[in-house]
């Protein structure tokens, strides 16, 4: 005879009822009824717990997963003052660029693997007939695919892991280390990263990298062609959430640049500092500060600093207010100092801090005079929409002389508007417009431009991030 699950369950319950009925003969009627109900309830609960235990996966039975996704972004821009102050007779530029990534994410209980194949281009930059008759490829027709990221990460246990390979480095608010996602190719590093995370309130990481241009037979001469890059990089990052209100972060980095005269000599630059954060109800206050020392890439002694105070309020529905300032040291152009006082924000992003027009991005953009950037942001977000209104004032931190005359430290004003709309989770439509007004001092420091011209910039971006395939085995 074939028994199914329902028949077996009915027989078991009948036996329990018969047993409890016979046992209840020595008890009062009410007590017997309560005993029967408690007995049945206890057995059902125990049975369900046993079933749950037998069917629930054990920690060591965590499933392996493989996700394949796409990150595709097209952005059109109208530039008339982006990065460069325009002249009165310059016309606007217009183009469309595109970045496409195919991502592979494989995870097991004790091993992760990530690969991101990337293609970046401006529409029309590459000859679509390349390889179909072009005799001699040129720079304009050759724009290869490359791996933006590829790393393996074995996990020693639930807290320790080591990531090896090409990877993004993003710390804190990304002012010193960022993926630089606004840039078409973005930014990644070939490095080894040791990670500790207690999954509660403490994380620390150690990064080491060493670069060469090829497989040398002798010496370690690092000859980069067409770009500047560090020869070695060492970083320690620490984040500690001390309690529900305070968070403490530190970043200590050393990056070395090879001497242009002696290949065996490397000039090491050190950057040390951190951030303290306080959050309570609708208020957020933070202060970060960093000091830079050692030697710059030319071998000159360094003594530079940076700090950023900010206050944020989120008490109004859907609205966030941010008021703060970036203060980056520079050097007096009237003095020929033996020490470089110009702070370099390492491998961070300036786009979201110094105005989206990126006129003042690196120390060379403000002629090593330093920069003071008070800012006020208003952000609004609701459902699928988000708006951002940013205002910036720019001042040179140090004195700057032009033909013996000291320039006004006020450099200009910038106003940025950005809109994001997400009709579905994997589509992001973003648009922005910026306008600025710069002074004569800014054109002198930037070595070009005309105060009669009106700098403006507009962009429209569409980004698709769907998951194509998802496996679990």
């Amino acid at each position: 005879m074939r028994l199914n699950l329902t028949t077996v369950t009915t027989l078991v319950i009948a036996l329990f009822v018969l047993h409890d009925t016979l046992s209840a003969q020595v008890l009062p009627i009410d007590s017997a009824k309560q005993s029967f109900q408690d007995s049945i309830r206890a057995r059902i609960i125990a049975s369900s717990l046993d079933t749950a235990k037998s069917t629930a996966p054990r920690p060591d039975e965590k499933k392996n997963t493989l996700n394949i996704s796409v990150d595709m972004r097209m952005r059109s821009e109208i530039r008339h003052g982006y990065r460069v102050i325009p002249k009165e007779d310059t016309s606007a530029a217009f183009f469309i660029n595109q970045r496409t990534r195919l991502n592979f994410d494989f995870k097991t209980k004790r091993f992760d693997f990530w690969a991101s194949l990337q293609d970046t281009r401006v529409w029309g930059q590459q000859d679509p007939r390349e390889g179909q008759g072009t005799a001699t490829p040129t720079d304009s027709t050759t724009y290869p695919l490359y791996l933006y990221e590829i790393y393996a990460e074995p996990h020693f246990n639930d807290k320790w892991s080591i990531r090896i390979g090409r990877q993004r480095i993003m710390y804190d608010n990304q002012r010193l280390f960022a993926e630089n996602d606004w840039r078409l190719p973005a930014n990644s590093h070939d490095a080894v990263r040791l990670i500790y995370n207690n999954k509660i309130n403490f994380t620390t990481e150690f990064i080491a990298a060493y670069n060469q241009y090829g497989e040398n037979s002798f010496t370690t001469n690092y000859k980069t062609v067409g770009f500047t890059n560090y020869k070695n990089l060492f970083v320690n990052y620490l984040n500690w959430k001390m309690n529900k209100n305070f968070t403490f972060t530190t970043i200590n980095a050393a990056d070395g640049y090879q001497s242009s005269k002696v290949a065996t000599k490397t000039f090491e630059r050190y950057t040390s500092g951190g951030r303290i954060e306080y959050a309570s109800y609708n208020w957020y206050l933070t202060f970060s500060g960093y000091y830079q020392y050692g030697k710059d890439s030319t071998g000159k002694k360094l003594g530079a600093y940076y700090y950023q105070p900010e206050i944020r309020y989120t008490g109004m529905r859907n609205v966030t207010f941010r008021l703060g300032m970036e203060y980056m040291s520079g050097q007096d152009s009237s003095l020929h100092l033996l020490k470089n006082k110009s702070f370099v924000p390492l491998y961070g992003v300036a786009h979201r801090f110094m105005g989206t027009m990126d006129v003042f991005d690196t120390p060379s953009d403000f002629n090593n005079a330093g920069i003071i950037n008070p800012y006020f942001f208003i952000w609004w977000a609701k459902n699928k929409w988000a708006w951002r209104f940013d205002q910036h004032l720019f001042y040179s931190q140090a004195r700057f002389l032009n033909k013996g005359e000291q320039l006004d430290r006020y450099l200009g004003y910038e106003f940025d508007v950005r809109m994001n709309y997400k009709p579905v989770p994997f589509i992001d439509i973003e648009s922005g417009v910026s306008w600025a007004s710069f002074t004569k001092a800014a054109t002198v420091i930037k070595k070009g431009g005309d105060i009669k011209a009106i700098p403006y910039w507009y962009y429209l971006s569409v980004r698709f991030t769907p998951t194509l395939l998802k496996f679990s085995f």
Side-chain angles (χ1 to χ4, degrees), residues 147 230 258 274 431 452:
L147 284 164
Y230 57 80
Q258 181 178 291
S431 183
K452 295 180 181 180

Side-chain angles (χ1 to χ4, degrees), residues 171-178 180 275 288 306 308 310 312 322 324-326 328 345 348-358 360-361 371-377 379 388 390-394 414 416:
Y171 286 141
D172 192 25
N173 61 359
Q174 298 195 42
R175 195 61 181 100
L176 295 186
F177 288 92
N180 284 297
R275 172 185 302 277
S288 66
Y306 162 89
Q308 180 211 19
E310 182 181 295
R312 186 183 308 168
R322 290 177 59 186
M325 179 184 68
E326 283 200 307
M328 204 173 296
V349 60
H351 187 78
R352 71 180 68 168
F353 295 97
M354 289 283 188
T356 56
M357 292 184 74
D358 291 335
F360 300 107
D361 188 355
I371 197 80
I372 303 174
N373 167 33
Y375 58 82
F376 178 58
F377 299 162
W379 297 354
R388 174 171 171 168
D390 298 354
Q391 299 183 75
H392 299 265
L393 294 173
F394 300 106
E414 182 178 329
D416 308 317

Side-chain angles (χ1 to χ4, degrees), residues 231-255:
K231 191 171 185 177
N232 60 62
L233 174 69
F234 302 97
V235 185
N236 172 236
Y237 164 78
L238 182 149
N239 180 269
W240 175 33
K241 188 170 179 58
M242 296 180 283
N243 53 47
K244 67 178 183 178
N245 299 118
F246 285 95
T247 303
F248 177 66
T249 300
T250 64
I251 298 176
N252 294 280
D255 52 339

Side-chain angles (χ1 to χ4, degrees), residues 33-59:
K33 182 179 179 181
Q34 185 64 43
S35 176
F36 166 75
Q37 291 175 342
D38 291 344
S39 178
I40 294 296
R41 186 181 298 112
R43 283 170 171 81
I44 292 174
I45 292 173
S47 177
S48 64
L49 288 176
D50 290 340
T51 302
K53 289 179 181 178
S54 64
T55 58
R58 298 191 303 271

Side-chain angles (χ1 to χ4, degrees), residues 16 21 87 98 110 154 251 272 283 363 397 420 453:
F16 289 160
T21 302
K87 293 184 178 180
Q98 179 175 325
R110 288 286 182 256
I251 298 176
S272 298
W283 292 95
Q397 188 272 330
N420 286 83

